[in-house]
Amino acid sequence: MARLSSNWLRVIEWLDVGEAFSREVKRIYFMEKTDFQSIAVLEVLPHGKVLIIDGKTQSALVDEWIYHEALVHPAMISHPEPRKVLILGGGEGATLREVLKHKTVKKVTMVDIDEKMIEIARKYLYEWHQGAFDDNRVNVVIEDGRRFLGESHSKYDVIIVDLTDPLKDSSSMHLYTKEFYELIYNALKDDGIFVTQSTQIALSVDVYAVIHSTISSIFPISRLYHTFVPSFLLDWSFNIGSKKYDPIALSGEEIDSRIRERIAGDLKFYDSETHKHMFSMPKHVRRALNSTKKISTDSEPIYLPI
Amino acid sequence: MARLSSNWLRVIEWLDVGEAFSREVKRIYFMEKTDFQSIAVLEVLPHGKVLIIDGKTQSALVDEWIYHEALVHPAMISHPEPRKVLILGGGEGATLREVLKHKTVKKVTMVDIDEKMIEIARKYLYEWHQGAFDDNRVNVVIEDGRRFLGESHSKYDVIIVDLTDPLKDSSSMHLYTKEFYELIYNALKDDGIFVTQSTQIALSVDVYAVIHSTISSIFPISRLYHTFVPSFLLDWSFNIGSKKYDPIALSGEEIDSRIRERIAGDLKFYDSETHKHMFSMPKHVRRALNSTKKISTDSEPIYLPI
Amino acid sequence: MARLSSNWLRVIEWLDVGEAFSREVKRIYFMEKTDFQSIAVLEVLPHGKVLIIDGKTQSALVDEWIYHEALVHPAMISHPEPRKVLILGGGEGATLREVLKHKTVKKVTMVDIDEKMIEIARKYLYEWHQGAFDDNRVNVVIEDGRRFLGESHSKYDVIIVDLTDPLKDSSSMHLYTKEFYELIYNALKDDGIFVTQSTQIALSVDVYAVIHSTISSIFPISRLYHTFVPSFLLDWSFNIGSKKYDPIALSGEEIDSRIRERIAGDLKFYDSETHKHMFSMPKHVRRALNSTKKISTDSEPIYLPI
Amino acid sequence: MARLSSNWLRVIEWLDVGEAFSREVKRIYFMEKTDFQSIAVLEVLPHGKVLIIDGKTQSALVDEWIYHEALVHPAMISHPEPRKVLILGGGEGATLREVLKHKTVKKVTMVDIDEKMIEIARKYLYEWHQGAFDDNRVNVVIEDGRRFLGESHSKYDVIIVDLTDPLKDSSSMHLYTKEFYELIYNALKDDGIFVTQSTQIALSVDVYAVIHSTISSIFPISRLYHTFVPSFLLDWSFNIGSKKYDPIALSGEEIDSRIRERIAGDLKFYDSETHKHMFSMPKHVRRALNSTKKISTDSEPIYLPI
């Protein structure tokens, strides 16, 4: 009976047409629809605590540090002195946590559309934010990220975009377009740098390449990088758009010395060798990047089929 | 996104070796381990609210009345004047609800081992018990049903056994044995009648036939009957053991007139034609019953493989 | 490894919105698309050999005799001397096998649209037809059943309709309509009787009731009956439309004596008590039948959502 | 119906405790048990043709070139002139195909225990081997790989081990031990180099690290490397054991010039940047490698739990 009872509830997540994975649910911490999304915090086998939004695993405690360190540190380390940072999305607070590790940072503005998401993170995801919301350098703004950019006149050193995937007909679909990246460009200082998660690197879908191409159309420096995230079962990509600093121009020594000088505490994932790993792309991925000229626009936005 | 988010959480339930069904979970009302079992109250597609114990669907709002009317009324109607009734198990309160519909009833004792189950029923399963726990004819006793029978000296007109299946190594495995049915026999008046759920009628498994054969070894009258329960996806069996009254000796007219005289309110499932349906067994089931001589005992109890 | 390898291929079958079952595949006998349908013969756990058409289990060796005896014998036995029989569909040959058991039968015409289906049955489903196709009373016609009826001028004692479900947009959708039943009516002798499978009895869907109501609009006698088919996990219905003979007017003695006199060999499922079981409907099903007035027509055919 | 019928057969594959993926089966090319393993060639969504052994996807047409180029070329390119090559396993013929692309190669011996596997590859996996079995430099030996090594006195430039995972109680479990690697060592020339697939890099399991540590105990140079294989949904590792040549000592220019000079035809995956990507390990993986001292031996072999 124990055997059976341990296997009767499962999460199913579609990865591609015809392809899904499933995991055993051990515990439900929270599950509810907000005005913007359906949010669940569960414990699953084999990954432990996970955050699932609209049926898609956003991060798992067991490896959220891979995703969040990969998202935050390459852009932050590439900048010689990031003082003012803007985060769009990132409701769990883990992106914020990683940004705050940089001693150079004086002020972080975090904009999330869903106040309820922040509440849920505060209540159920302490392991993610580790109190970051209460750091006095932080200002949390509840607003639509795109509208915030449109109305704000601040200029940032670093902007980090940590949003859900551009699924068809989802609200995120217009946060991966040329017009959106122009707003980002304008909100950056003259030597500013930005990074966005840019979806999985799949053989069948070129969304990551279109995001790369779109960012390349706005920023002089556009760099795709990637790493495997075990709980996603996917090779995940990120894309830096930069006005001045090029992440691949940094030497390994420079990366490691910046980490040593600047970061309070230990990183589990990122260092110079990880940087080299992430910024080296297999030949077929480079070929796909080179052959993709398509640009995502508000009128014809790129989206994921599933 | 809505489409996807509506299909990411599923219950899986094994029906037989290699065979399972799964249903979409829309909402979690409650999910917790008590000292005795793991209890969940969920909303699923297509059946709405369901009670799941140890990973097995116990009843669904959409058709719990089929199961509970089928369990309760044939024995109650077969008795000319059931006044004192004992229910073992039946934590949802729906068996109790059906018993209380009989105006003849003066006193119902309900014995459940799991106090927490009753609390959960009171809080989350109002549609099942409909306030039955608060009827002043009712006495709820929190105790092991078998121990209660062993220590009690009361005699009942009707005893209704509404327990989980005799799964291998489960606590219910010893509540379908000859020794248990002797305790039941002794707790009945000289014209007393008892009924128990007796598991699915499967082609591959003869547990229902062994339960029938075991009851036949104690009671002069032993009648298996059955009906399809949609949310179980199975043909479900029940078995009456009776000292005097034979359910198949009742005419259709007698059944319907007893219902009219005795029952407050309307039944949705049970009447004389339903009775005829349930007590007529397909030929192959009769053959299986006739060829099964095995008796379940405390030392060699019958059990379900899954 | 053996353990794993035994569980890596599964059939999934949708029963209702949000609800599916799955079974382990042990062996593939055959799997191909014909011009009309996708046909697979597999061995699955726990049911052994099964025929699956368009992803729906049509029959399983372990209990095909329940379905086919239930489909064939009530109509055949209700007729005092069925000599000339028409079968529409029934490609496995098991309906034919049951019809041929009646010594009264002189001639059976079987019409199936899919020649390939008959070939597959001959090659892979011997346990179903048991050589019935080679009986010299049998004439197999490869044609669309509805067109056959429209063009034929023969008159039959019994017509048996054994077709796939009226799924949305499927070719079977127009084989459960008033216009189709008029063709059947016209192809029957003055005392002819017909029967069709009439889909599952579900709480959520009233297709069986609409089929009943549609047949009632054409035939003076219309009787729904049902039985649980384990490999379908469903309570399955059938509907007789009759010009003269009423299956519920037959006494149990009459049924059993007709079986004894007329049937060569043994039946495993059907006899008078099984007949009583099948023609007695639970109260809520009768209520649904009585409240359904809708009629399926060629212009507005009834169909199953899944 | 088309929609439904296209989704009724699925492969399920367990990745970890509680975690599985499933894919839609479109076509069965072949499925049978040989004396050694259960082999299936299927077409699945979204990956097309796949080879599945004992319920585990071995390779998919869509990305087998990632796996096979990653397995073969780093060791082959690290060697200045690989002439004589031994392949253990690799029944699909794709490892052989990649080896034969090197113009330096004079002779390849391929040892596979399962003659039937080679036949199946010849018949159903032409896209994998592309006729490689018929190259006159190739000698296929049907024998147990370990016994072959024990009995052979030949010396090779390169040995490539392309076997199924060391699952618990599987025959492959003893092909990842110290004693096996000693046999490999002895079958290599003084400047020989060998490579083996070394299972997924998971957070929960350290099998890859134990394989690395075991190879390090025999070879002066031991290098783990890795890449994401989309159809595996995993980050896959390989390990080189080398007597003299160190793959990470090669410059990018050297790698690309050796490819240009030596390889007939185009590579889709491997070049100097891919090499850099594969041989750079994220920090947490290096930490796991450094902290794992365990060695797999014949008496206590390491194995995967699932």
Side-chain angles (χ1 to χ4, degrees):
Chain A
M1 210 149 66
R3 180 180 61 85
L4 285 167
S5 69
S6 67
N7 197 15
W8 63 274
L9 191 64
R10 297 187 73 80
V11 285
I12 316 284
E13 198 168 318
W14 291 90
L15 292 166
D16 202 337
V17 181
E19 184 179 57
F21 70 80
S22 80
R23 291 177 183 141
E24 190 178 323
V25 178
K26 303 298 292 177
R27 189 170 164 186
I28 311 265
Y29 290 94
F30 178 86
M31 190 172 149
E32 212 176 284
K33 283 202 179 176
T34 71
D35 291 344
F36 300 96
Q37 46 205 352
S38 146
I39 300 176
V41 180
L42 312 177
E43 185 187 324
V44 301
L45 268 184
H47 295 299
K49 214 168 173 179
V50 293
L51 169 70
I52 297 179
I53 296 184
D54 290 329
K56 291 269 187 190
T57 298
Q58 299 301 307
S59 58
L61 188 52
V62 78
D63 64 7
E64 58 79 17
W65 43 274
I66 294 181
Y67 174 85
H68 289 109
E69 290 192 22
L71 173 66
V72 168
H73 298 308
M76 291 291 285
I77 287 291
S78 296
H79 194 288
E81 199 184 0
R83 300 165 66 94
K84 210 172 149 196
V85 179
L86 174 67
I87 300 170
L88 300 178
E92 304 99 315
T95 295
L96 185 59
R97 176 197 74 205
E98 291 303 318
V99 167
L100 291 171
K101 284 184 181 167
H102 290 255
K103 294 183 210 157
T104 55
V105 169
K106 304 298 176 208
K107 183 152 189 235
V108 190
T109 304
M110 175 175 158
V111 180
D112 201 296
I113 199 172
D114 193 350
E115 184 159 24
K116 187 87 188 157
M117 177 67 237
I118 310 284
E119 272 173 43
I120 293 162
R122 281 182 172 277
K123 192 157 172 194
Y124 295 103
L125 302 175
Y126 183 83
E127 303 94 326
W128 271 254
H129 60 77
Q130 294 173 17
F133 293 121
D134 300 323
D135 189 295
N136 56 24
R137 292 171 288 173
V138 174
N139 180 30
V140 176
V141 179
I142 302 304
E143 194 173 343
D144 174 79
R146 187 155 173 172
R147 180 179 307 165
F148 176 87
L149 280 178
E151 293 172 356
S152 161
H153 298 292
S154 295
K155 298 286 183 185
Y156 299 90
D157 296 308
V158 179
I159 298 180
I160 299 172
V161 179
D162 183 13
L163 296 164
T164 53
D165 282 348
L167 290 169
K168 204 184 171 191
D169 302 327
S170 77
S171 57
S172 291
M173 206 169 60
H174 289 88
L175 302 174
Y176 295 84
T177 63
K178 188 171 186 290
E179 291 83 352
F180 179 67
Y181 294 138
E182 281 167 345
L183 290 174
I184 300 260
Y185 187 95
N186 293 333
L188 284 170
K189 292 184 190 161
D190 289 348
D191 65 347
I193 184 167
F194 113 95
V195 65
T196 180
Q197 75 96 342
S198 49
T199 81
Q200 60 154 307
I201 297 186
L203 294 172
S204 59
V205 171
D206 67 348
V207 174
Y208 73 96
V210 174
I211 293 173
H212 174 73
S213 157
T214 306
I215 292 172
S216 303
S217 76
I218 303 293
F219 285 85
I221 297 162
S222 169
R223 300 288 175 207
L224 189 90
Y225 63 99
H226 69 129
T227 193
F228 176 67
V229 181
S231 63
F232 293 179
L233 296 170
L234 296 169
D235 191 30
W236 208 258
S237 81
F238 307 87
N239 206 103
I240 281 177
S242 179
K243 292 185 172 178
K244 182 170 176 193
Y245 307 114
D246 189 344
I248 67 172
L250 276 179
S251 72
E253 291 70 29
E254 187 61 27
I255 290 171
D256 289 330
S257 81
R258 286 189 182 183
I259 291 174
R260 264 195 314 276
E261 288 158 19
R262 208 192 274 175
I263 302 257
D266 197 29
L267 300 185
K268 291 159 81 174
F269 170 74
Y270 182 71
D271 67 4
S272 62
E273 188 172 333
T274 303
H275 186 95
K276 191 162 64 169
H277 170 62
M278 291 198 290
F279 283 87
S280 310
M281 310 301 292
K283 191 176 175 185
H284 63 283
V285 177
R286 274 172 280 139
R287 201 172 271 179
L289 287 182
N290 289 336
S291 67
T292 304
K293 304 294 171 212
K294 193 154 122 190
I295 283 174
S296 177
T297 61
D298 281 355
S299 54
E300 285 190 73
I302 191 74
Y303 55 83
L304 286 164
I306 281 180
Chain B
M1 208 151 66
R3 181 180 60 86
L4 285 167
S5 70
S6 68
N7 196 15
W8 63 274
L9 192 63
R10 298 188 73 81
V11 284
I12 316 284
E13 198 168 317
W14 291 90
L15 292 166
D16 202 337
V17 180
E19 184 179 58
F21 69 80
S22 80
R23 291 177 182 140
E24 191 179 323
V25 177
K26 303 300 290 178
R27 189 171 164 187
I28 310 263
Y29 289 95
F30 178 86
M31 190 173 150
E32 213 175 284
K33 283 202 178 177
T34 70
D35 291 344
F36 300 97
Q37 44 204 352
S38 145
I39 300 175
V41 180
L42 312 176
E43 186 187 324
V44 302
L45 267 184
H47 295 299
K49 213 169 173 178
V50 293
L51 170 69
I52 297 179
I53 296 185
D54 290 328
K56 291 271 187 189
T57 298
Q58 301 299 309
S59 57
L61 188 53
V62 78
D63 64 8
E64 58 80 16
W65 44 273
I66 295 181
Y67 174 85
H68 289 109
E69 290 193 21
L71 173 67
V72 167
H73 297 308
M76 291 291 285
I77 288 291
S78 296
H79 194 288
E81 200 185 359
R83 301 164 66 94
K84 210 172 149 197
V85 179
L86 174 67
I87 298 170
L88 300 178
E92 304 99 314
T95 295
L96 185 59
R97 176 197 75 206
E98 290 303 318
V99 167
L100 291 171
K101 284 183 181 168
H102 290 255
K103 293 183 211 156
T104 55
V105 170
K106 303 298 177 209
K107 182 152 190 235
V108 191
T109 304
M110 174 174 159
V111 180
D112 201 295
I113 199 172
D114 193 351
E115 184 158 24
K116 188 86 189 158
M117 178 66 237
I118 310 285
E119 274 173 42
I120 293 161
R122 281 183 172 276
K123 191 156 173 195
Y124 296 103
L125 302 176
Y126 183 84
E127 303 93 326
W128 271 253
H129 61 77
Q130 294 173 18
F133 293 120
D134 300 323
D135 189 296
N136 55 25
R137 292 171 287 173
V138 174
N139 180 29
V140 175
V141 180
I142 302 303
E143 194 172 344
D144 174 79
R146 186 154 174 174
R147 182 179 304 167
F148 176 87
L149 279 179
E151 293 172 355
S152 162
H153 298 289
S154 296
K155 298 286 184 185
Y156 299 91
D157 296 309
V158 178
I159 298 179
I160 298 172
V161 179
D162 183 13
L163 296 165
T164 53
D165 283 348
L167 289 169
K168 205 184 170 192
D169 301 327
S170 77
S171 57
S172 291
M173 207 170 60
H174 288 89
L175 302 173
Y176 294 84
T177 63
K178 189 171 186 289
E179 291 83 352
F180 179 67
Y181 294 139
E182 281 168 343
L183 290 174
I184 300 260
Y185 187 94
N186 293 333
L188 284 170
K189 291 184 189 161
D190 289 347
D191 65 346
I193 185 168
F194 113 95
V195 64
T196 180
Q197 75 97 342
S198 50
T199 81
Q200 60 155 306
I201 296 186
L203 293 172
S204 58
V205 172
D206 66 349
V207 174
Y208 73 96
V210 174
I211 294 173
H212 174 71
S213 157
T214 305
I215 292 172
S216 303
S217 75
I218 304 292
F219 285 87
I221 297 161
S222 168
R223 300 287 175 207
L224 190 90
Y225 63 99
H226 69 130
T227 193
F228 176 67
V229 181
S231 63
F232 293 179
L233 295 170
L234 296 170
D235 191 29
W236 208 258
S237 81
F238 306 87
N239 207 103
I240 280 178
S242 179
K243 291 184 173 177
K244 182 170 175 192
Y245 308 115
D246 189 345
I248 68 172
L250 277 179
S251 72
E253 291 70 28
E254 187 60 27
I255 290 170
D256 288 331
S257 81
R258 287 189 181 183
I259 291 173
R260 265 194 314 277
E261 287 159 18
R262 209 192 273 176
I263 303 258
D266 197 27
L267 300 184
K268 291 160 81 175
F269 170 73
Y270 183 70
D271 67 4
S272 62
E273 188 171 330
T274 304
H275 185 97
K276 192 161 65 169
H277 170 62
M278 289 199 291
F279 283 88
S280 309
M281 309 301 292
K283 191 177 175 185
H284 62 285
V285 177
R286 274 173 280 138
R287 201 172 273 179
L289 286 182
N290 290 335
S291 66
T292 303
K293 304 294 170 213
K294 193 154 123 191
I295 283 175
S296 176
T297 60
D298 280 356
S299 53
E300 284 190 73
I302 191 74
Y303 55 83
L304 286 164
I306 281 179
Chain C
M1 209 148 68
R3 181 179 60 84
L4 284 167
S5 69
S6 66
N7 196 14
W8 62 275
L9 192 63
R10 299 187 72 82
V11 284
I12 315 284
E13 199 169 318
W14 292 90
L15 293 166
D16 201 338
V17 180
E19 184 180 56
F21 69 81
S22 81
R23 289 176 184 143
E24 191 179 323
V25 177
K26 303 298 292 177
R27 190 170 163 186
I28 310 265
Y29 290 94
F30 178 85
M31 190 172 149
E32 213 175 284
K33 283 202 178 177
T34 71
D35 291 344
F36 300 97
Q37 46 205 350
S38 148
I39 299 177
V41 180
L42 312 177
E43 185 188 326
V44 301
L45 266 185
H47 295 299
K49 215 168 171 178
V50 293
L51 169 69
I52 297 179
I53 297 184
D54 289 329
K56 291 269 188 190
T57 298
Q58 300 301 308
S59 57
L61 188 52
V62 78
D63 64 8
E64 60 77 18
W65 43 273
I66 295 181
Y67 173 85
H68 290 108
E69 290 193 22
L71 173 66
V72 168
H73 298 307
M76 292 290 285
I77 287 291
S78 297
H79 194 287
E81 200 183 2
R83 301 165 65 94
K84 209 171 150 197
V85 178
L86 174 67
I87 299 169
L88 301 178
E92 303 100 313
T95 295
L96 186 59
R97 177 196 74 206
E98 291 302 318
V99 167
L100 292 170
K101 284 183 181 167
H102 290 255
K103 294 182 209 157
T104 55
V105 169
K106 303 299 175 206
K107 183 154 188 235
V108 191
T109 304
M110 174 174 157
V111 181
D112 200 296
I113 199 171
D114 193 351
E115 184 158 25
K116 188 85 189 157
M117 177 67 237
I118 310 285
E119 273 173 42
I120 292 162
R122 281 182 172 278
K123 193 158 173 195
Y124 296 103
L125 301 175
Y126 183 83
E127 303 93 324
W128 272 254
H129 62 77
Q130 295 174 16
F133 294 120
D134 300 323
D135 189 296
N136 56 25
R137 293 171 286 173
V138 174
N139 180 29
V140 176
V141 179
I142 303 302
E143 195 172 342
D144 174 80
R146 186 155 174 173
R147 181 179 305 164
F148 176 88
L149 279 179
E151 293 171 356
S152 162
H153 298 291
S154 296
K155 298 286 184 186
Y156 300 90
D157 296 309
V158 178
I159 298 179
I160 298 172
V161 180
D162 183 14
L163 296 165
T164 54
D165 283 347
L167 290 170
K168 203 182 173 194
D169 301 326
S170 77
S171 57
S172 291
M173 207 170 60
H174 289 89
L175 302 172
Y176 295 83
T177 63
K178 188 170 186 290
E179 291 83 353
F180 179 67
Y181 294 138
E182 280 167 345
L183 290 173
I184 300 260
Y185 187 95
N186 293 334
L188 285 169
K189 292 185 190 161
D190 289 347
D191 66 347
I193 184 168
F194 115 96
V195 64
T196 181
Q197 75 96 341
S198 48
T199 81
Q200 60 155 306
I201 298 186
L203 294 172
S204 57
V205 172
D206 67 348
V207 174
Y208 73 96
V210 173
I211 293 173
H212 174 72
S213 156
T214 306
I215 292 173
S216 303
S217 76
I218 303 292
F219 285 86
I221 297 161
S222 169
R223 300 287 175 208
L224 189 91
Y225 63 99
H226 69 129
T227 194
F228 176 68
V229 181
S231 64
F232 292 0
L233 296 171
L234 296 170
D235 191 30
W236 209 259
S237 80
F238 307 88
N239 205 102
I240 280 177
S242 180
K243 291 185 173 180
K244 183 172 176 192
Y245 308 115
D246 189 345
I248 67 172
L250 277 178
S251 73
E253 291 70 28
E254 187 60 27
I255 290 171
D256 288 329
S257 80
R258 288 189 181 183
I259 290 173
R260 265 193 315 277
E261 288 157 20
R262 207 192 275 176
I263 303 259
D266 196 29
L267 300 184
K268 290 160 81 175
F269 170 72
Y270 183 70
D271 68 2
S272 62
E273 187 172 330
T274 303
H275 186 97
K276 192 162 65 169
H277 169 62
M278 289 199 292
F279 283 88
S280 309
M281 310 301 291
K283 190 176 176 185
H284 62 283
V285 177
R286 276 173 278 138
R287 201 172 273 179
L289 286 181
N290 289 336
S291 66
T292 304
K293 304 296 170 212
K294 193 154 127 191
I295 283 173
S296 177
T297 62
D298 280 356
S299 54
E300 285 190 73
I302 191 74
Y303 55 83
L304 285 165
I306 282 181
Chain D
M1 208 151 67
R3 181 180 59 84
L4 285 167
S5 70
S6 67
N7 196 14
W8 63 274
L9 191 64
R10 298 187 73 82
V11 285
I12 315 284
E13 199 169 316
W14 292 90
L15 292 167
D16 201 338
V17 180
E19 184 180 56
F21 68 81
S22 81
R23 291 177 181 139
E24 191 179 322
V25 178
K26 302 299 291 177
R27 189 170 164 187
I28 310 265
Y29 289 94
F30 177 86
M31 190 171 148
E32 214 176 281
K33 282 202 178 176
T34 71
D35 292 344
F36 300 98
Q37 45 204 352
S38 146
I39 300 177
V41 180
L42 312 177
E43 186 188 324
V44 302
L45 267 185
H47 296 299
K49 214 168 173 179
V50 293
L51 169 69
I52 297 180
I53 297 185
D54 290 328
K56 292 270 186 187
T57 298
Q58 299 300 308
S59 58
L61 189 52
V62 78
D63 64 7
E64 59 78 17
W65 44 273
I66 294 180
Y67 174 86
H68 289 108
E69 290 193 22
L71 173 67
V72 168
H73 298 307
M76 291 291 285
I77 287 291
S78 296
H79 194 287
E81 199 183 1
R83 301 164 67 94
K84 209 172 151 197
V85 178
L86 173 67
I87 299 170
L88 301 178
E92 304 100 313
T95 295
L96 186 59
R97 177 197 73 205
E98 291 302 318
V99 167
L100 292 169
K101 285 183 180 168
H102 291 255
K103 294 182 209 156
T104 55
V105 170
K106 304 299 175 206
K107 183 153 190 235
V108 190
T109 304
M110 175 173 157
V111 181
D112 200 296
I113 199 172
D114 193 351
E115 184 158 24
K116 188 86 188 156
M117 177 66 238
I118 310 285
E119 274 173 42
I120 292 162
R122 281 182 172 278
K123 193 158 175 194
Y124 296 103
L125 301 175
Y126 183 83
E127 303 95 325
W128 271 253
H129 60 77
Q130 294 174 18
F133 294 119
D134 301 323
D135 189 294
N136 55 23
R137 293 171 286 173
V138 174
N139 180 30
V140 175
V141 179
I142 302 302
E143 193 172 344
D144 174 79
R146 187 156 173 171
R147 182 179 306 165
F148 176 88
L149 280 179
E151 293 171 356
S152 162
H153 298 291
S154 295
K155 299 285 182 183
Y156 300 91
D157 296 308
V158 179
I159 298 179
I160 298 172
V161 179
D162 184 12
L163 296 165
T164 53
D165 283 346
L167 289 169
K168 206 186 170 190
D169 301 326
S170 77
S171 57
S172 291
M173 207 170 59
H174 289 89
L175 302 172
Y176 294 84
T177 63
K178 188 170 186 289
E179 291 83 352
F180 179 68
Y181 294 137
E182 281 167 345
L183 290 173
I184 300 260
Y185 187 94
N186 293 333
L188 285 170
K189 291 184 189 161
D190 289 347
D191 65 346
I193 184 167
F194 115 95
V195 65
T196 180
Q197 74 97 342
S198 49
T199 81
Q200 60 155 305
I201 297 186
L203 293 173
S204 58
V205 172
D206 66 349
V207 174
Y208 74 96
V210 174
I211 293 173
H212 174 72
S213 156
T214 305
I215 292 172
S216 304
S217 75
I218 304 292
F219 284 85
I221 297 162
S222 169
R223 299 288 175 208
L224 188 92
Y225 63 99
H226 69 130
T227 193
F228 176 67
V229 181
S231 64
F232 293 179
L233 296 171
L234 295 169
D235 191 29
W236 208 259
S237 80
F238 307 87
N239 206 102
I240 279 178
S242 180
K243 291 186 174 178
K244 183 170 175 192
Y245 307 115
D246 189 345
I248 67 173
L250 278 177
S251 72
E253 291 70 29
E254 187 60 29
I255 290 170
D256 289 330
S257 81
R258 288 188 180 183
I259 291 173
R260 265 194 314 277
E261 288 159 18
R262 208 192 275 175
I263 303 257
D266 198 27
L267 300 184
K268 291 160 81 175
F269 170 73
Y270 183 69
D271 67 3
S272 63
E273 187 172 331
T274 303
H275 186 96
K276 191 162 65 169
H277 169 62
M278 290 199 290
F279 284 87
S280 310
M281 311 301 292
K283 189 176 177 186
H284 62 284
V285 177
R286 276 174 277 139
R287 200 173 272 181
L289 287 181
N290 290 335
S291 66
T292 304
K293 304 296 171 210
K294 193 154 123 190
I295 283 174
S296 176
T297 61
D298 281 356
S299 54
E300 285 189 72
I302 191 75
Y303 56 83
L304 286 164
I306 282 182

